Amino acid sequence: MQKFSGFELFRRALGGHKSWQPQWRNPEPKAEYDVIIVGAGGHGLAAAYYLAKEHGITRVAVIERGWLGGGNTGRNTTIVRSNYLFDESAALYEHAVKLWEGLSTDLNYNVMYSARGVLMLAHNHHDEISFKRHVHANRLNGVDNEWLSAEQVKEFCPPLNIRSMRYPIIGGALQRRGGTARHDAVAWGFARAADSRGVDIIQNCEVTGIRRGPGGAVEGVETSKGFIRAKKVGVSAAGHTSVVMAMAGVRMPLESYPLQALVSEPVKPAFPTVVMSNTIHAYISQSDKGEMVIGAGTDAYTSYSQRGALHVTTHTLDAICELVPQFRRLRMLRNWGGIVDVTPDRSPIIAKTPVPGLYVNCGWGTGGFKATPGSGNVFAHTIARDEPHKINAPFTLERFRDGFLIDEAAAAAVAH
Amino acid sequence: MLIIDCPWCGARPEIEFRYGGEAHIARPADPAAMSDQEWADFLYNRTNPKGLHAERWRHIHGCGRYFNAVRDTVSDFFVTTYKAGEPRPDIGESGK
Ligand SMILES: Cc1cc2nc3c(=O)[nH]c(=O)nc-3n(C[C@H](O)[C@H](O)[C@H](O)COP(=O)(O)OP(=O)(O)OC[C@H]3O[C@@H](n4cnc5c(N)ncnc54)[C@H](O)[C@@H]3O)c2cc1C
Ligand SMILES: [Zn+2]
């Protein structure tokens, strides 16, 4: 791997930047691997990277039906935070935030993690007591989160209109260590670092079947490039998880919904933080390119179409225009959708499955980008040791059978 | 926005409707007789297919009634709608 540094940039500039090599190989699949990961999103690539780095397992292939990072990883609004209510969730997301903080150095790749704060707005009494409950629960878990009055909200984020709107802002919960990261760079950084440790990333190769032996255990995967043998297969296919797991005969507690986002034309720095409002349903931050990045809620129905209805984004823009009236004059540049896999309790599943050798990481729904490094890290552990890390131990498939839901949905912290 | 054909009222815009999830999941007659796994299957596990999906809709801002539809989840095209209580029309398993 060619290291990136200021000195290297300068040295290669002298040669007209002609000596840079591609950041990863494009290998043909081998006949057999120790581990196959299905899906080269951020989560799958991170799992492959940590398998190689922390568990010494380098005979690993990541198999991707499209291009790496072309799924939800490349489509999300990149909000990173860890102020979830329940102990299990706080531990999981906080594990990820700690990794985010050192990720650029670890990967030798600038993932542009920007801890500019995530501010969740309260518009009514219910929001206020729910956020204050989160603040207290977070404090007990060592996760930063603080309550701001309406005036403090205005001071922290001056472009916000706090009063002259239908649901005025009465306060907010701020996690200062939260923020955003560059989504593509996260996929590329993990891909490059995994590739340099020997992981084969095989793009344009769809997994079409999971082959099981006479005893039921996994033997490998059928793909559009033929059969590839492996005793361990980790599925990290986000919106397509139900489809892939059905290949092994496993029914999942998942439904796949379109989730849309859109960006404005780029403008000068005008919005200092990430603002989210669950109540009037809008999320906004400004990318380093200058675009306002805006996220909507999921569409109403399950779909694999990667597009949603216009009334859903319009609804979000109505809220944005109330929150930040000067943005009414912004023109929207692009909108798109991703397919998110939603569990009944809005918490992920990172676990072994009833099929020996088959592991699954899914159910991140509308909010899994923030967990990318942490999720990959504990998923790698689960695959390598054939047992969960203590952080993901509660996030099993069996929790739905045994009644141990981690009900972030009811805790009203379902947003990104 | 989808145009959805309510079996009672005819074609109406999507915003008049609420989605009701996978159709033909009947509440078990004797829950106490079920294993935990069977109960979890009923409550939580879903087919979530990529292709034809039999699903419930409710015309909440119209007649208020539930009905079923078969929709292709790849294109969002509604193949048919039918009244609640009628069996799933026989139009194959998958659109893709
Ligand atoms: C519009 C939008 C906004 C969002 N905003 C946020 C946010 O602000 N913060 C946040 O934390 N999260 C957010 N999310 C959620 C977040 O994007 C996802 O939870 C996360 O990126 C999932 O990562 P992944 O690597 O698991 O999935 P993906 O990046 O989707 O990767 C899965 C990969 O599997 C591949 N695949 C599927 N089937 C097969 C097959 N049969 N064979 C081979 N490969 C296959 C797919 O092509 C895909 O590349 C948002 C999502 C969307 C759509
Ligand atoms: Zn009707």
Side-chain angles (χ1 to χ4, degrees):
Chain A
M1 183 172 85
Q2 292 177 319
K3 274 226 148 208
F4 293 142
S5 66
F7 174 73
E8 280 298 310
L9 204 59
F10 177 72
R11 192 169 74 85
R12 291 179 199 273
L14 297 178
H17 286 299
K18 297 228 168 63
S19 59
W20 292 108
Q21 287 161 3
Q23 296 187 19
W24 50 81
R25 298 161 299 130
N26 241 332
E28 283 304 309
K30 301 192 183 89
E32 181 169 3
Y33 292 93
D34 291 337
V35 177
I36 287 174
I37 304 283
V38 183
H43 285 232
L45 292 165
Y49 169 68
Y50 290 114
L51 276 170
K53 183 189 171 206
E54 294 190 352
H55 305 279
I57 302 176
T58 57
R59 292 197 339 137
V60 176
V62 186
I63 300 181
E64 168 56 52
R65 65 196 280 267
W67 64 97
L68 70 85
N72 293 342
T73 299
R75 293 163 188 269
N76 85 95
T77 53
T78 78
I79 298 172
V80 176
R81 64 184 181 91
S82 60
N83 51 357
Y84 283 71
L85 180 65
F86 293 114
D87 297 351
E88 296 88 343
S89 325
L92 179 63
Y93 291 99
E94 182 62 16
H95 181 52
V97 168
K98 293 218 170 89
L99 288 169
W100 279 116
E101 289 169 342
L103 197 61
S104 293
T105 313
D106 186 33
L107 298 179
N108 179 236
Y109 206 96
N110 188 359
V111 299
M112 297 168 76
Y113 181 58
S114 160
R116 61 184 69 176
V118 173
L119 178 59
M120 300 170 82
L121 301 177
H123 302 267
N124 54 43
H125 182 61
H126 171 83
D127 285 350
E128 179 173 347
I129 52 179
S130 154
F131 287 177
K132 284 184 173 167
R133 182 179 175 210
H134 277 72
V135 168
H136 294 312
N138 291 154
R139 190 180 55 235
L140 293 176
N141 278 316
V143 173
D144 74 302
N145 193 14
E146 61 197 88
W147 172 256
L148 303 187
S149 67
E151 290 66 33
Q152 288 168 318
V153 164
K154 177 79 184 163
E155 204 184 314
F156 188 73
C157 185
L160 284 178
N161 163 29
I162 59 169
R163 283 196 221 297
S164 49
M165 58 195 297
R166 181 159 177 206
Y167 299 104
I169 296 167
I170 62 169
L174 171 65
Q175 183 173 28
R176 292 183 193 269
R177 286 161 63 240
T180 59
R182 169 88 200 278
H183 50 0
D184 293 330
V186 174
W188 299 338
F190 274 118
R192 170 174 170 268
D195 175 273
S196 82
R197 288 175 187 265
V199 171
D200 283 356
I201 302 166
I202 298 154
Q203 304 182 67
N204 295 309
C205 179
E206 179 165 2
V207 171
T208 53
I210 295 176
R211 196 186 285 180
R212 297 172 63 180
V218 165
E219 291 188 333
V221 296
E222 313 282 354
T223 77
S224 50
K225 297 190 176 180
F227 177 68
I228 311 174
R229 195 171 289 283
K231 289 204 177 66
K232 290 183 173 185
V233 172
V235 176
S236 204
H240 278 77
T241 305
S242 296
V243 177
V244 177
M245 293 300 285
M247 296 170 191
V250 181
R251 260 171 85 81
M252 298 294 291
L254 291 174
E255 289 186 304
S256 297
Y257 290 92
L259 181 67
Q260 302 184 70
L262 61 174
V263 292
S264 73
E265 57 190 335
V267 291
K268 286 186 176 170
F271 206 74
T273 184
V274 181
V275 165
M276 323 183 21
S277 168
N278 288 351
T279 298
I280 62 171
H281 228 291
Y283 318 100
I284 180 166
S285 67
Q286 188 171 19
S287 75
D288 290 319
K289 268 192 286 182
E291 304 154 323
M292 295 301 160
V293 182
I294 295 166
T298 55
D299 275 70
Y301 46 83
T302 62
S303 176
Y304 289 82
S305 66
Q306 289 200 132
R307 74 184 61 163
L310 187 60
H311 67 89
V312 175
T313 43
T314 309
H315 176 70
T316 284
L317 290 179
D318 287 347
I320 295 289
C321 291
E322 281 233 311
L323 279 178
V324 203
Q326 62 270 38
F327 288 173
R328 283 176 196 191
R329 286 185 297 163
L330 280 177
R331 278 163 299 196
M332 290 298 136
L333 212 55
R334 301 189 302 279
N335 74 326
W336 64 88
I339 299 302
V340 297
D341 46 326
V342 177
T343 57
D345 61 0
R346 303 297 188 276
S347 288
I349 298 161
I350 320 162
K352 298 169 69 164
T353 71
V355 179
L358 186 65
Y359 306 84
V360 70
N361 167 40
C362 66
W364 291 96
T366 60
F369 175 74
K370 64 175 68 66
T372 304
S375 151
N377 187 269
V378 295
F379 194 40
H381 183 286
T382 308
I383 296 171
R385 310 268 181 95
D386 195 37
E387 63 181 29
H389 188 282
K390 74 174 188 317
I391 289 178
N392 68 308
F395 294 88
T396 61
L397 258 174
E398 291 76 29
R399 74 175 185 268
F400 298 100
R401 180 195 65 199
D402 300 338
F404 291 108
L405 272 62
I406 303 164
D407 208 350
E408 291 290 344
V414 295
H416 326 301
Chain B
M1 190 177 304
L2 306 175
I3 303 296
I4 303 175
D5 200 5
C6 171
W8 283 279
C9 312
R12 298 294 176 88
E14 179 194 333
I15 44 168
E16 293 188 10
F17 297 84
R18 285 278 196 287
Y19 182 65
E22 185 168 351
H24 306 297
I25 299 178
R27 186 181 169 85
D30 184 7
M34 297 179 87
S35 70
D36 288 353
Q37 188 56 55
E38 287 165 337
W39 188 243
D41 285 341
F42 159 67
L43 277 184
Y44 301 123
N45 286 347
R46 294 295 177 261
T47 316
N48 197 21
K50 184 174 184 175
L52 297 186
H53 187 220
E55 60 195 20
R56 305 194 308 160
W57 286 86
R58 186 175 178 207
H59 193 188
I60 190 159
H61 299 299
C63 62
R65 281 189 268 200
Y66 271 104
F67 60 92
N68 292 332
V70 174
R71 184 177 51 94
D72 185 342
T73 63
V74 178
S75 61
D76 294 333
F77 177 75
F78 277 86
V79 181
T80 185
T81 56
Y82 53 104
K83 292 177 180 164
E86 292 176 5
R88 178 186 162 136
D90 186 19
I91 36 181
E93 271 298 305
S94 168
K96 192 203 154 252

